[in-house]
Structures are given as C-alpha cells and as structure tokens.
Amino acid sequence: MNELPNAECINAVPVRLDRVFDSCSDKDCITNLQVMLEGGAELPPQYTSVKTRCVSIDDICMSVEPIPFNRGYYTVDITYTFGIELLCYTRNGDAPAVMCGMASASKSVILYGSESNTKTFFSSGAPIGDTNCCCNVVNLPTASCRCVDPIALETRICVLPPMPMQDPTAAPVPQTPRRTVVLTLGVFSVVELTRPVTMTVAAYPYQVPTKSCSGDTDSPCEVFSRLNFPTEEFIPTADGFSATQSAEAIRFDGFSGCQKP
C-alpha cells in the first residue's frame, strides 16, 4: 500500500459532487402480485402446482414531484418491473416446465430534497432546471433507488373470474375462469435524493504510486498451494457452536473435538 504524504501537504480544493440530502431504506412485502405470462397466455390447465425459479428487477421507473405547501419535500413515485421464471408441475415428481413472465408494483416515498431556483447550463448542452411557467423555475433533485434481487416468499395458482364481454350486443359465448400465478415478494431498497453541489475538501498532492506492478506467472498448482485449507467447510455446525470454534478445537487437540480449558 502506498503511504500518504504528511499533513503539511494537505490543501483545500473545491470539488463538484452529488450531495445526498435525504434517504430511506425499505423492506417491502408485496402481496397478490399477478404474473403476466409471456404473450398474455394463461396458465395451462394441466399444471397443478408452480414454484418460482428466480426473480429479478428488470427496470425501475421513478418520478419526482414537489409537495405543495411543504417546501423542500418531494414525492418519489417508484414502479418496479420484475422478470420472473416459473417452474410448472403437472404432478409431483415430474420434470417441470419453465415459463417466463413479468409483474409490476408501485410505491411512493416522501423525502427532503432542499430547494434550488437556479438553472444550470453545461457546455455539453445538458441543462439542469425546468421553467414550468414565467418566472417559476423548478430545479428538482435527482432520485435514485438501489435494490437487491427480490425474495420469492410465496407462489400460488389463482383462479380469476372470466373477462367481461367487450360487445354486450354480441351473442353470449361460454366463459371459463382464468388461471394465473400470484406471488408474494420481499424487496429491500434504498432511495436517495441528491443535488449537485460544490464543496471544499482536503486533498493530498498527486504522487506517482510506489507499488511495483507485477504479473502472476506462477503455475496454477503453485497458486493453489498457497491457499489455506478450508477446514470450516468440512465441519457441520451445531446450535451455539460455530464452524470456526470446531476448527479451533481440531487445531488445539488434533481430532479429539475438545477445546483446551
């Protein structure tokens, strides 16, 4: 690791960065989430049970709106689009069929994002701030949403009522109930409101790294020989007794399984 210069070399320099004005974390449990199968197809009647193979967040759409009479606060409307793979079974023990679909869910949060009535123009042509009407400049903060892949908590088949007839004057056609898949998902997320600001920070002068570049030319077996043996992976853990403690016991007393007093 390269050593930093002493404190006498510190200088105060202005930098432009995105400051987080407000943020929140959520643990959402989304229930009764209907899966739209590819092509708008219904779940075939031969499938009697389903499981979720994997769920991912394919897209997140966000909009930021100021809250009237509460200056500096904004509503962030978030819409998740989930990509879903299902395992469909005709009966237990049979090989499942894979079906893909999508689902969407929305939520809203209120965060503080400060105020700014300026308009900023860059040489690249990108402006910040929008004039809605004469002498009314709205410079909205930027919203961001970070998520991990959702957790499928429940997957079940649901029978929906038949679709209503589009033309009430047409001859009645026998309608059958529609079968679909309904999920319960757990989603972890962090939402932030940021604005670009100029701040003064302490900085060291730039220096050339002193660490030498090296390329690992050792053979794979030589690299493998330097790895520690994963003792913890071979020891089952019991309640209140971790694999690390078990490994320590082996190192203390051979294979007696007893720790030193």
Side-chain angles (χ1 to χ4, degrees):
M1 181 179 296
N2 298 324
E3 295 183 359
L4 294 176
N6 56 41
E8 297 178 355
C9 299
I10 299 177
N11 295 320
V13 297
V15 296
R16 186 169 179 83
L17 46 80
D18 289 333
R19 176 186 170 183
V20 178
F21 280 86
D22 201 1
S23 62
C24 65
S25 61
D26 261 346
K27 187 171 67 172
D28 299 311
C29 183
I30 305 174
T31 60
N32 297 324
L33 189 63
Q34 181 178 348
V35 179
M36 305 297 294
L37 298 176
E38 285 185 342
E42 299 179 9
L43 184 68
Q46 68 267 24
Y47 297 129
T48 58
S49 63
V50 292
K51 292 181 180 179
T52 300
R53 184 180 185 182
C54 65
V55 184
S56 62
I57 298 179
D58 291 347
D59 191 19
I60 298 179
C61 295
M62 290 178 286
S63 63
V64 181
E65 295 291 338
I67 298 178
F69 311 112
N70 201 351
R71 301 181 61 177
Y73 284 85
Y74 300 84
T75 299
V76 183
D77 297 317
I78 303 171
T79 300
Y80 299 106
T81 300
F82 303 102
I84 303 164
E85 286 189 10
L86 300 172
L87 297 178
C88 305
Y89 296 84
T90 55
R91 59 182 180 179
N92 293 334
D94 289 351
V98 178
M99 299 189 70
C100 298
M102 60 167 292
S104 60
S106 299
K107 60 176 289 186
S108 296
V109 299
I110 296 176
L111 295 174
Y112 177 75
S114 185
E115 290 184 290
S116 177
N117 291 323
T118 62
K119 295 190 71 176
T120 305
F121 297 87
F122 298 92
S123 59
S124 62
I128 296 179
D130 182 27
T131 304
N132 289 338
C133 61
C134 182
C135 300
N136 183 15
V137 177
V138 178
N139 189 347
L140 297 174
T142 301
S144 64
C145 181
R146 292 178 291 160
C147 300
V148 296
D149 283 341
I151 301 173
L153 302 175
E154 183 187 33
T155 307
R156 57 188 174 89
I157 298 175
C158 183
V159 179
L160 301 178
M163 292 287 292
M165 296 182 59
Q166 300 294 332
D167 186 3
T169 61
V173 178
Q175 300 288 323
T176 57
R178 296 173 294 141
R179 303 174 78 241
T180 187
V181 178
V182 175
L183 300 180
T184 298
L185 298 181
V187 180
F188 297 94
S189 63
V190 174
V191 184
E192 297 176 338
L193 281 185
T194 61
R195 286 186 183 276
V197 296
T198 301
M199 303 183 70
T200 302
V201 300
Y204 291 99
Y206 179 79
Q207 66 176 139
V208 176
T210 58
K211 181 180 178 180
S212 300
C213 300
S214 63
D216 192 356
T217 58
D218 294 339
S219 67
C221 289
E222 290 177 344
V223 175
F224 180 74
S225 66
R226 292 196 294 267
L227 299 179
N228 294 327
F229 191 87
T231 307
E232 292 81 2
E233 301 296 330
F234 290 85
I235 302 174
T237 58
D239 294 340
F241 194 66
S242 65
T244 303
Q245 291 172 317
S246 299
E248 290 296 330
I250 290 177
R251 281 191 283 268
F252 285 154
D253 293 298
F255 293 93
S256 63
C258 300
Q259 286 185 324
K260 283 187 175 181

